[in-house]
Amino acid sequence: MTSDHLFVYGTLLRGFDHPMAQLLSRSADFVGQARCRGRLYLVKHYPGLVPSDEPGDVVHGELYRLHQPAECLREFDIYEACGEGFAEPTEYVRQMLAVTLYDGNVREAWTYVYNWPVARLPRIASGRFLE
């Protein structure tokens, strides 16, 4: 399964003055505000998304269409320290999730899911990192 869409919910959001956020804005088209099922936790100065089946658990973010998915995803895998060459278990894993745009359209998109225990992490109840 593959997708040229990427859902972001943390330091890659528009408005972050981060080199990787700038890379994303240059190498992808902003599709729109979107949301997915999940719980958001504050890891350090960045958040982690954990998938959830609970209807009330929603994480808000942005959906992008990548111009060159393979190359872009390789860069973001390195930024998120996951994939080939990183010690298991990695902090994040790239997974395909269903994300819902605000017009109701649902797309399959890659996102980075937090892969370490969250028991001691504060939850971001709003599901919005920037609040």
Side-chain angles (χ1 to χ4, degrees):
M1 177 123 176
T2 188
S3 173
D4 62 352
H5 285 82
L6 179 67
F7 175 73
V8 301
Y9 56 85
T11 55
L12 295 175
L13 291 166
R14 291 181 306 169
F16 267 86
D17 187 28
H18 187 286
M20 292 307 282
Q22 291 163 8
L23 173 70
L24 180 60
S25 71
R26 282 196 311 273
S27 54
D29 298 319
F30 176 71
V31 177
Q33 302 286 332
R35 61 189 182 272
C36 72
R37 285 264 170 91
R39 291 183 176 167
L40 202 57
Y41 293 90
L42 187 62
V43 181
K44 289 181 184 143
H45 57 281
Y46 55 87
L49 178 156
V50 177
S52 168
D53 294 326
E54 293 295 319
D57 290 345
V58 176
V59 173
H60 300 269
E62 298 170 348
L63 186 66
Y64 289 86
R65 184 181 300 103
L66 303 171
H67 300 162
Q68 296 182 302
E71 291 85 349
C72 285
L73 290 169
R74 200 163 38 245
E75 290 288 326
F76 292 119
D77 285 354
I78 292 167
Y79 172 64
E80 302 289 358
C82 70
E84 226 173 274
F86 291 97
E88 299 280 336
T90 53
E91 187 175 18
Y92 290 88
V93 291
R94 178 159 47 89
Q95 284 182 0
M96 194 76 79
L97 284 184
V99 300
T100 305
L101 288 152
Y102 283 90
D103 63 8
N105 275 316
V106 177
R107 300 266 171 82
E108 291 289 317
W110 290 112
T111 195
Y112 289 92
V113 172
Y114 192 68
N115 194 35
W116 288 353
V118 295
R120 292 195 171 88
L121 298 178
R123 183 161 171 206
I124 302 171
S126 69
R128 294 177 193 275
F129 177 55
L130 291 177
E131 278 180 6

